Amino acid sequence: MIEVKNLVKVYSTKKNKVIGVDNVSLTIKNGEIFGIVGYSGAGKSTLLRCLNLLERPTSGQVIIDGVDLTTLNKKELRQARLKIGMIFQHFHLVSSKTVFENVAFALKAAKKSKDEIEKRVNELLEMVGLSDKRDAYPSQLSGGQKQRVGIARALANEPTVLLCDEATSALDPSTTKSILALLKKINRELGITIVLITHEMEVVKDICDRIAVMQDGKVIELGTVYDIFTNPKEELTKSFINSVLQFDLPDHLLKKRTGTIVKIQFKGEIAEEAIVSDMLQTFKVKGNILHGKIEYIQDMPLGIFVMELTGDPDEIQRAIDYISLRTNGLEVIASAA
């Protein structure tokens, strides 16, 4: 388990002080994939680098598996870091070394024997799907392949924690999905705790169990991915969600409508029930679906529909009350003229 307690990181310059991380406290459970989300300058990468003390906190504690890293001497910290792997946005591979040699580097630093290194590197290259690239150089690899080498290298010393700093930001969408699938496989099969920094909510939706949203060095919202997506509290979080689940209709389309426009959110199992169909059969209203989509987040459905209701105003209100009661997620966008 990772515990961050009252963590502060301040950068001092000649003219002023800049707060990178501002009194952050959070707990990351063993075996979960935890996302830290925020725009550039929010403090998320600084927080991540504080977790293995690549950035030493100004104050506060970083406790991993019961050990406060901030209290360790240099030798003890080097040993602790062997169990904390890290992968980067730009791979950081040694261009003059082969794939095998890049992965073996961490094992050599840990003073493993030649036979141990040979066996472990071969296992890792098979795990990340690069056995056939063992003798290739980074210049001969695609971006996705380079990141797979980075992942293999980070796993070399069998870490319990894997830190990912914008690990997919330099990749195209298709390659991103394959890397996320690999990280999820590693998490599920090896039980490794993954902490993932990103500004892309699509990445969060695909892989994370819980997320923290950061702004100005602070964590402003924290929760499970499903709860954050279905009920965001902060405006920044809502803007992130809208980048993935965009359901707003253009103004010119709304102006053409004469009925009542409603946006309905269906959470969990309710998303798979025939609530709209039941409503149309129960009340004397007509329904025209203008936009709709069902997303699956952590294998749980989230449905959002925008529809126009026409008919007697009293019947429309009864229909709205019926759906509101069944879904607890209805918003009237425009009332009937």
Side-chain angles (χ1 to χ4, degrees):
M1 184 166 68
I2 302 171
E3 296 176 89
V4 176
K5 296 184 176 180
N6 306 116
L7 196 73
V8 175
K9 176 62 181 177
V10 178
Y11 296 97
S12 296
T13 66
K14 292 182 179 180
K15 294 183 178 181
N16 55 18
K17 292 183 178 181
V18 177
I19 299 176
V21 178
D22 190 358
N23 197 33
V24 167
S25 296
L26 53 84
T27 298
I28 300 170
K29 303 171 187 174
N30 283 339
E32 78 174 331
I33 302 178
F34 188 90
I36 302 176
V37 184
Y39 290 120
S40 296
K44 58 189 188 298
S45 289
T46 301
L47 174 58
L48 186 81
R49 292 169 68 86
C50 283
L51 296 184
N52 61 1
L53 266 63
L54 285 179
E55 293 277 3
R56 181 165 284 277
T58 304
S59 62
Q61 296 174 284
V62 177
I63 303 169
I64 298 182
D65 295 332
V67 177
D68 184 354
L69 300 190
T70 64
T71 66
L72 302 182
N73 61 37
K74 290 182 179 180
K75 182 178 178 181
E76 291 169 334
L77 184 57
R78 281 196 299 271
Q79 284 299 119
R81 281 177 176 157
L82 292 177
K83 293 301 179 182
I84 307 172
M86 189 164 187
I87 59 176
F88 305 89
Q89 178 181 356
H90 297 296
F91 322 126
H92 291 185
L93 303 181
V94 181
S95 60
S96 61
K97 294 185 180 295
T98 65
V99 166
F100 182 95
E101 291 168 335
N102 268 281
V103 178
F105 181 81
L107 293 164
K108 289 180 180 178
K111 299 182 179 179
K112 301 293 184 181
S113 70
K114 186 176 179 180
D115 288 343
E116 287 177 307
I117 291 172
E118 181 79 18
K119 181 175 183 292
R120 181 62 176 158
V121 173
N122 287 335
E123 288 174 350
L124 289 166
L125 292 181
E126 183 177 352
M127 181 185 297
V128 301
L130 289 179
S131 294
D132 61 332
K133 300 294 183 181
R134 168 192 165 109
D135 298 320
Y137 288 88
S139 62
Q140 298 170 301
L141 304 177
S142 67
Q145 289 170 333
K146 290 177 183 177
Q147 194 56 284
R148 286 172 182 269
V149 177
I151 292 170
R153 180 183 57 191
L155 296 175
N157 286 304
E158 301 181 82
T160 58
V161 175
L162 182 60
L163 307 179
C164 306
D165 192 2
E166 297 277 11
T168 61
S169 294
L171 305 176
D172 62 73
S174 176
T175 306
T176 291
K177 284 194 174 293
S178 71
I179 293 298
L180 293 180
L182 175 59
L183 290 174
K184 199 165 188 175
K185 176 185 175 185
I186 289 167
N187 167 258
R188 301 300 184 245
E189 293 184 1
L190 303 182
I192 294 175
T193 303
I194 296 178
V195 184
L196 186 147
I197 296 295
T198 185
H199 61 274
E200 301 171 286
M201 288 303 285
E202 191 68 45
V203 169
V204 167
K205 182 173 72 69
D206 284 351
I207 193 174
C208 293
D209 300 308
R210 291 192 303 138
I211 58 170
V213 181
M214 290 192 70
Q215 184 177 33
D216 298 328
K218 298 177 182 290
V219 171
I220 62 170
E221 196 155 358
L222 175 68
T224 68
V225 171
Y226 195 85
D227 287 344
I228 294 292
F229 266 79
T230 57
N231 191 27
K233 305 294 186 186
E234 302 292 330
E235 288 304 315
L236 177 65
T237 311
K238 291 175 183 178
S239 72
F240 272 120
I241 302 302
N242 285 338
S243 71
V244 179
L245 304 178
Q246 180 56 262
F247 288 94
D248 294 330
L249 294 178
D251 289 340
H252 75 272
L253 187 58
L254 290 175
K255 290 177 181 178
K256 294 180 180 178
R257 303 295 164 181
T258 58
T260 297
I261 311 297
V262 295
K263 181 161 69 173
I264 311 166
Q265 185 178 85
F266 302 90
K267 302 177 185 178
E269 294 179 356
I270 292 174
E272 297 172 338
E273 296 180 8
I275 294 175
V276 172
S277 177
D278 291 346
M279 177 271 292
L280 293 174
Q281 294 181 42
T282 303
F283 303 97
K284 295 179 181 178
V285 297
K286 292 183 178 180
N288 179 22
I289 294 178
L290 305 177
H291 190 34
K293 188 178 185 182
I294 294 181
E295 292 275 357
Y296 284 85
I297 303 167
Q298 297 176 321
D299 297 324
M300 294 177 62
L302 168 63
I304 302 180
F305 292 87
V306 177
M307 66 184 303
E308 178 185 26
L309 299 176
T310 57
D312 180 80
D314 290 337
E315 285 292 290
I316 290 175
Q317 188 58 53
R318 281 191 282 270
I320 288 174
D321 292 342
Y322 173 84
I323 295 176
S324 297
L325 185 63
R326 293 284 299 276
T327 66
N328 197 29
L330 181 143
E331 175 188 355
V332 176
I333 298 175
S335 298

